[in-house]
Amino acid sequence: MATKTRADLLKRLDPYWKMEAANVLFVPLFLFWLSGWRLSWITLAPMAATMLLLIIGALYWRGKVQQLSGTGGGFSILLRRISVWQRPALILALAGCLSVLAGWLVPAWSAGLADRNIATGCAVLSLLEYVNYYHRQLQHFDNREDFLRLLGGKGFRKSWMARDLEVLKNASS
């Protein structure tokens, strides 16, 4: 495995925050369009959880890029704020799962099958985003070394954000 420079790392990480921030807008627009502009309340909670986690991700990656490039002196402040949002993000993601369940149990509460399917997709996505940021790195398709590590049976490692939050927690103990 070749040694990567800080410039290589910044080049790889910089697009992450931009992608997450863009998806805060594009994911709901795409889902509304996909549904024929007919989504019910059962989709709003899991969609809100997904958007919140995308915002958290965008803020984290932007802060991480600034930290690595030496232009972000407030990274620990940002991490404290992100830490505060961990429990609300999980609660919102779980509430989204409950609203999806309600939509499947009482189909009349939804705007139809597409609405229930989109709500289910949002609920799954919000849970995956939560785990991917606050616990284990699930995304391995965009980095060859990560992908080979996963294929090599080494499992999912702690996410970058989880590691940074752990350092922050240990520093304030």
Side-chain angles (χ1 to χ4, degrees):
M1 182 167 19
T3 303
K4 299 290 182 180
T5 67
R6 183 177 298 256
D8 292 332
L9 184 59
L10 284 168
K11 184 179 177 183
R12 182 169 69 90
L13 296 180
D14 189 51
Y16 286 6
W17 77 266
K18 296 169 187 170
M19 179 180 60
E20 298 292 76
N23 281 331
V24 172
L25 175 64
F26 293 130
V27 167
L29 284 175
F30 175 71
L31 296 177
F32 272 101
W33 173 80
L34 192 63
S35 73
W37 305 97
R38 293 192 42 192
L39 293 177
S40 70
W41 66 271
I42 70 157
T43 303
L44 296 181
M47 187 182 289
T50 301
M51 299 309 98
L52 174 60
L53 286 154
L54 287 170
I55 290 167
I56 288 168
L59 291 171
Y60 172 76
W61 285 119
R62 184 170 185 267
K64 188 68 176 176
V65 165
Q66 289 176 335
Q67 178 202 35
L68 291 171
S69 65
T71 60
F75 190 62
S76 61
I77 294 168
L78 174 64
L79 284 176
R80 279 193 280 284
R81 290 179 180 156
I82 286 172
S83 174
V84 167
W85 280 98
Q86 183 172 359
R87 184 164 285 145
L90 178 59
I91 291 168
L92 189 54
L94 294 174
C97 292
L98 290 175
S99 74
V100 168
L101 181 61
W104 284 104
L105 292 174
V106 185
W109 289 353
S110 74
L113 182 60
D115 182 32
R116 291 190 301 277
N117 286 331
I118 290 169
T120 302
C122 282
V124 169
L125 183 59
S126 70
L127 292 173
L128 290 173
E129 288 285 3
Y130 177 82
V131 170
N132 188 53
Y133 279 118
Y134 284 104
H135 297 286
R136 295 278 173 220
Q137 178 185 334
L138 300 179
Q139 181 176 319
H140 287 80
F141 60 83
D142 65 336
N143 182 286
R144 186 175 189 275
E145 288 86 11
D146 285 346
F147 188 64
L148 292 174
R149 182 181 180 284
L150 183 65
L151 291 179
K154 295 183 180 161
F156 297 101
R157 69 173 149 203
K158 195 175 284 191
S159 71
W160 283 63
M161 193 168 91
R163 286 183 268 170
D164 283 338
L165 289 171
E166 189 173 282
V167 167
L168 179 72
K169 180 181 175 187
N170 291 337
S172 48
S173 299

